Amino acid sequence: MTSEARAAQVAGPEVQRRVLTVLVASQALGGAGMAAGITVGALLAQDLFGSTGFAGLPVALFTAGGALGALLVGRISERWGRRPGLSLGHAAAALGSIGVIVAAWSRTVPLLLIALFVYGAGTVTGLLARYAGTDLAPPEKRGRATGTVLLATTLGAVAGPALVGPTGTLAESLGLPRLTGPFLLAAVAYTAAALVVALWLRPDPLLLARSQQPYAAGPQAGERPVRRIGPGVVTGAAVMISGQLVMIAIMTMTPVHLTHHGHSTELAGVVIGLHVGAMFLPSPLTGLVVDRIGSLPVAASSGGVLLTAGLLAALAPPTGAVGAALLGTALVLLGIGWNMALVSGTAMVAEAAPADARASTQGLVDVGMSLAGATGGLVSGLVVAGGSYPLLAVCGGVLALAVIPLTARAARPRRNAASATAS
């Protein structure tokens, strides 16, 4: 029995259920806040800058902020546990949301840029929470634990874009720009998520898991811990990073593409809502498949799904109901492909991360994801401004195929080990 399995056995299923219940509640709230930046961030930047070329800047900023947030939350969690790390992250997202509202109201571009960075540093907490769900899960249930936490995000993430119209009306009634409405929702939602984690994530899953494992005592005096980053961490990180890059690049410019061709902001919100739902809703099924057939086949399949999404988005007519429907379908496939990459990559990292540096290693992996998202968000606006949205979609889909040879190479040592054991 592995040390992780022993920890899960000692902790008991009731503790894991409590941890998952608290994480589900906080994720449902945080999901509503996360959708604000996705839905109207690009439109808000386009309004303040007066140029489509800068429309990808908000996503670039809050995903770059996510890189710093992932690093800090990982380090805080490693030292003091998941509870302080996740609660502080949600609080930062709430603060950033308030900053965006003030910046848009005063039309202060520097404040907008700073606020989006802080907002992004906090929103990454929603993804890092998936690792907390695996701390006490036995190895054969890690995929499902990840899926449960991610599924909870769907509740808020789907509702958030659908509330663009009502929250916009509320913002106008308060004398604020209409596009700040979703950020009003984000400020409230992230504050509530921070309180849920701070008050009820007890016992702390990471600290409890660590206390039940042999490495809990740490190195002896004068010794330095040996921390090796194995190939599983590298492969899992590469799968998640490539999926994040492709998804962010295509998703960022979709609302701009829709509104540029005469579609309403509300329709853009619905399309993004479907996309965000597809990002998280399949998580339990994806986690079950990962637990049953392994993470590598699911990761390889994600490349094909993302390619299909990119091609369909490129071929969809820019105007009319049929074009909107096809683009919505493409964004659903984009979300499903991203979900497959995330759940399978998370399982690889959870399995292979060094036991004495689990949270910080996971944080570093999500730093890579955030940087990839920042790159995708920034480049997407430039590609569309200098080329076209179909060009962006095709390039993104083709890039997603890189995970197939990567996972094939990672599977080779496992097949060799299995053959050696059989002989």
Side-chain angles (χ1 to χ4, degrees):
M1 184 183 294
T2 65
S3 58
E4 290 87 351
R6 284 195 297 271
Q9 186 180 65
V10 172
E14 68 281 355
V15 176
Q16 172 68 350
R17 282 196 296 269
R18 175 180 172 82
V19 167
L20 289 179
T21 299
V22 174
L23 291 175
V24 163
S26 65
Q27 288 299 97
L29 292 165
M34 179 191 67
I38 294 175
T39 307
V40 300
L43 298 174
L44 188 59
Q46 185 178 4
D47 176 56
L48 290 185
F49 284 102
S51 171
T52 304
F54 291 100
L57 186 59
V59 174
L61 280 171
F62 66 67
T63 48
L68 178 62
L71 181 63
L72 292 178
V73 172
R75 294 289 177 85
I76 292 170
S77 299
E78 187 68 50
R79 185 165 184 177
W80 290 293
R82 300 286 188 190
R83 185 166 58 88
L86 296 179
S87 57
L88 287 173
H90 287 311
L95 179 63
S97 300
I98 295 172
V100 170
I101 295 168
V102 174
W105 171 73
S106 62
R107 299 193 70 81
T108 306
V109 172
L111 177 58
L112 176 68
L113 301 182
I114 295 171
L116 285 170
F117 187 86
V118 175
Y119 169 81
T123 56
V124 73
T125 306
L127 284 180
L128 284 170
R130 73 193 190 276
Y131 292 118
T134 67
D135 285 333
L136 297 174
E140 69 276 8
K141 293 183 178 181
R142 284 200 187 106
R144 278 165 282 185
T146 301
T148 299
V149 176
L150 290 175
L151 175 64
T153 311
T154 310
L155 301 176
V158 173
L163 293 174
V164 168
T167 57
T169 301
L170 174 62
E172 288 182 328
S173 71
L174 297 174
L176 299 170
R178 184 175 183 83
L179 289 175
T180 62
F183 283 98
L184 285 172
L185 175 63
V188 174
Y190 275 119
T191 299
L195 291 173
V196 167
V197 173
L199 295 175
W200 289 299
L201 191 60
R202 304 171 187 270
D204 191 287
L206 180 62
L207 298 183
L208 180 58
R210 185 180 296 162
S211 70
Q212 305 297 339
Q213 295 181 19
Y215 65 84
Q220 299 297 319
E223 294 181 351
R224 297 183 65 182
V226 178
R227 297 176 178 175
R228 298 184 177 89
I229 304 299
V233 172
V234 175
T235 302
V239 168
M240 289 188 283
I241 287 170
S242 62
Q244 180 82 345
L245 175 63
V246 172
M247 185 275 291
I248 289 289
I250 298 176
M251 175 272 297
T252 298
M253 296 309 298
T254 299
V256 176
H257 178 67
L258 283 168
T259 56
H260 181 71
H261 288 91
H263 297 287
S264 66
T265 304
E266 286 73 17
L267 176 62
V270 171
V271 170
I272 295 299
L274 292 172
H275 164 68
V276 175
M279 287 171 61
F280 299 105
L281 193 59
S283 298
L285 178 60
T286 307
L288 177 62
V289 174
V290 166
D291 288 338
R292 293 286 176 85
I293 70 173
S295 53
L296 291 175
V298 176
S301 300
S302 70
V305 175
L306 290 171
L307 172 64
T308 303
L311 294 177
L312 184 57
L315 295 174
T319 59
V322 174
L326 289 176
L327 197 56
T329 303
L331 267 289
V332 168
L333 290 174
L334 185 71
I336 293 173
W338 177 86
N339 178 268
M340 295 168 66
L342 183 71
V343 175
S344 59
T346 298
M348 295 181 211
V349 172
E351 177 184 0
D356 61 338
R358 177 182 298 173
S360 57
T361 299
Q362 292 164 342
L364 284 173
V365 169
D366 279 24
V367 167
M369 286 184 62
S370 295
L371 292 176
T375 302
L378 183 60
V379 171
S380 65
L382 298 176
V383 171
V384 171
S388 65
Y389 177 82
L391 175 64
L392 172 69
V394 170
C395 290
V398 172
L399 181 62
L401 293 178
V403 301
I404 296 178
L406 179 68
T407 53
R409 180 177 180 182
R412 196 176 305 133
R414 298 190 180 190
R415 287 195 297 266
N416 294 339
S419 300
T421 300
S423 60

